[in-house]
Amino acid sequence: MLWKRISFYGDAVSHSALLGFTIGAFLEINQIIVLIIFNLFFASLVNILSKQKSFAIDSVVMILSYFFIACAVLFNENFNKNFVFEEFLFGDISSISNLHFSIIAILAIMIVIFIKLNLKN
Protein backbone atom coordinates (compact mmCIF):
# COMPACT_ATOMS: atom_id res chain seq x y z
CA MET A 1 0.00 0.00 0.00
CA LEU A 2 2.85 2.37 0.71
CA TRP A 3 4.32 1.60 -2.71
CA LYS A 4 1.13 2.93 -4.32
CA ARG A 5 1.10 5.85 -1.85
CA ILE A 6 -2.07 4.84 -0.06
CA SER A 7 -0.87 5.64 3.43
CA PHE A 8 -4.32 5.72 5.08
CA TYR A 9 -5.68 2.55 3.49
CA GLY A 10 -5.64 0.36 6.62
CA ASP A 11 -7.29 3.10 8.64
CA ALA A 12 -9.92 3.62 5.96
CA VAL A 13 -10.70 -0.10 5.70
CA SER A 14 -11.16 -0.42 9.45
CA HIS A 15 -13.40 2.62 9.66
CA SER A 16 -15.47 1.75 6.61
CA ALA A 17 -15.96 -1.79 7.95
CA LEU A 18 -18.30 -0.28 10.54
CA LEU A 19 -21.00 -0.21 7.87
CA GLY A 20 -20.46 -3.92 7.29
CA PHE A 21 -20.66 -4.51 11.02
CA THR A 22 -23.96 -2.64 11.38
CA ILE A 23 -25.44 -4.47 8.40
CA GLY A 24 -24.30 -7.79 9.90
CA ALA A 25 -25.84 -6.87 13.25
CA PHE A 26 -29.09 -5.96 11.49
CA LEU A 27 -29.21 -9.23 9.52
CA GLU A 28 -28.01 -11.23 12.57
CA ILE A 29 -25.46 -13.23 10.59
CA ASN A 30 -21.81 -14.13 11.21
CA GLN A 31 -19.86 -10.88 11.54
CA ILE A 32 -16.61 -12.31 10.19
CA ILE A 33 -18.21 -13.32 6.89
CA VAL A 34 -19.93 -9.95 6.52
CA LEU A 35 -16.73 -8.06 7.29
CA ILE A 36 -14.68 -10.10 4.79
CA ILE A 37 -17.26 -9.54 2.05
CA PHE A 38 -17.59 -5.86 2.90
CA ASN A 39 -13.82 -5.27 2.97
CA LEU A 40 -13.46 -6.97 -0.40
CA PHE A 41 -16.22 -4.70 -1.70
CA PHE A 42 -14.43 -1.64 -0.29
CA ALA A 43 -11.10 -2.68 -1.84
CA SER A 44 -12.76 -3.30 -5.21
CA LEU A 45 -14.51 0.07 -5.09
CA VAL A 46 -11.23 1.84 -4.28
CA ASN A 47 -9.54 0.01 -7.14
CA ILE A 48 -12.24 0.94 -9.64
CA LEU A 49 -12.43 4.60 -8.60
CA SER A 50 -8.65 5.04 -8.44
CA LYS A 51 -8.27 4.05 -12.09
CA GLN A 52 -10.30 7.07 -13.24
CA LYS A 53 -7.47 9.48 -12.30
CA SER A 54 -9.93 12.25 -11.37
CA PHE A 55 -8.65 12.34 -7.79
CA ALA A 56 -5.53 11.24 -5.99
CA ILE A 57 -5.88 7.72 -4.64
CA ASP A 58 -5.51 8.93 -1.02
CA SER A 59 -8.45 11.27 -1.61
CA VAL A 60 -10.59 8.45 -2.99
CA VAL A 61 -9.76 6.24 0.00
CA MET A 62 -10.58 8.91 2.58
CA ILE A 63 -13.79 10.06 0.84
CA LEU A 64 -15.06 6.48 0.72
CA SER A 65 -14.05 5.91 4.32
CA TYR A 66 -15.97 8.94 5.59
CA PHE A 67 -18.93 8.07 3.37
CA PHE A 68 -19.14 4.55 4.80
CA ILE A 69 -18.80 5.80 8.38
CA ALA A 70 -21.68 8.22 7.81
CA CYS A 71 -23.75 5.45 6.22
CA ALA A 72 -23.01 3.17 9.21
CA VAL A 73 -24.26 5.78 11.67
CA LEU A 74 -27.38 6.50 9.60
CA PHE A 75 -28.12 2.82 9.03
CA ASN A 76 -27.72 2.07 12.71
CA GLU A 77 -29.96 4.94 13.81
CA ASN A 78 -32.72 3.94 11.40
CA PHE A 79 -32.67 0.14 11.48
CA ASN A 80 -30.79 -1.21 14.52
CA LYS A 81 -32.86 0.13 17.39
CA ASN A 82 -31.61 -2.42 19.93
CA PHE A 83 -27.93 -2.18 18.96
CA VAL A 84 -25.92 0.44 20.86
CA PHE A 85 -23.38 1.60 18.27
CA GLU A 86 -21.52 3.86 20.70
CA GLU A 87 -21.01 0.98 23.12
CA PHE A 88 -19.39 -1.04 20.35
CA LEU A 89 -17.14 1.85 19.34
CA PHE A 90 -16.09 3.06 22.77
CA GLY A 91 -16.84 0.08 25.00
CA ASP A 92 -18.54 -0.10 28.35
CA ILE A 93 -16.24 0.47 31.33
CA SER A 94 -18.65 -1.29 33.69
CA SER A 95 -18.29 -4.56 31.77
CA ILE A 96 -14.57 -4.94 32.57
CA SER A 97 -13.90 -7.83 34.93
CA ASN A 98 -10.98 -8.20 37.32
CA LEU A 99 -9.35 -10.63 34.88
CA HIS A 100 -9.55 -8.10 32.05
CA PHE A 101 -8.14 -5.38 34.26
CA SER A 102 -5.26 -7.64 35.32
CA ILE A 103 -4.44 -8.51 31.72
CA ILE A 104 -4.44 -4.82 30.76
CA ALA A 105 -2.20 -3.95 33.71
CA ILE A 106 0.28 -6.73 32.87
CA LEU A 107 0.38 -5.68 29.21
CA ALA A 108 0.92 -2.04 30.19
CA ILE A 109 3.83 -3.02 32.46
CA MET A 110 5.33 -5.18 29.69
CA ILE A 111 5.06 -2.32 27.20
CA VAL A 112 6.72 0.13 29.58
CA ILE A 113 9.55 -2.36 30.22
CA PHE A 114 9.97 -2.99 26.48
CA ILE A 115 10.13 0.73 25.74
CA LYS A 116 12.56 1.32 28.61
CA LEU A 117 14.90 -1.45 27.40
CA ASN A 118 14.79 -0.43 23.74
CA LEU A 119 14.83 3.33 24.11
CA LYS A 120 18.18 4.73 23.11
CA ASN A 121 19.10 7.85 25.09
Side-chain angles (χ1 to χ4, degrees), residues 11-30:
D11 189 45
V13 168
S14 65
H15 284 105
S16 63
L18 292 174
L19 178 59
F21 183 79
T22 57
I23 291 171
F26 174 72
L27 297 175
E28 297 179 359
I29 55 178
N30 189 343

Side-chain angles (χ1 to χ4, degrees), residues 14-23 25 31 68-78 80-92:
S14 65
H15 284 105
S16 63
L18 292 174
L19 178 59
F21 183 79
T22 57
I23 291 171
Q31 293 294 324
F68 285 125
I69 290 171
C71 288
V73 171
L74 291 173
F75 186 87
N76 186 59
E77 290 297 320
N78 290 317
N80 290 343
K81 298 297 183 190
N82 296 330
F83 180 69
V84 182
F85 195 60
E86 292 80 14
E87 215 171 272
F88 172 74
L89 287 176
F90 304 113
D92 183 13

Side-chain angles (χ1 to χ4, degrees), residues 9 23 36 55 59 72 74 94-95 102:
Y9 186 76
I23 291 171
I36 289 171
F55 296 103
S59 299
L74 291 173
S94 64
S95 67
S102 300

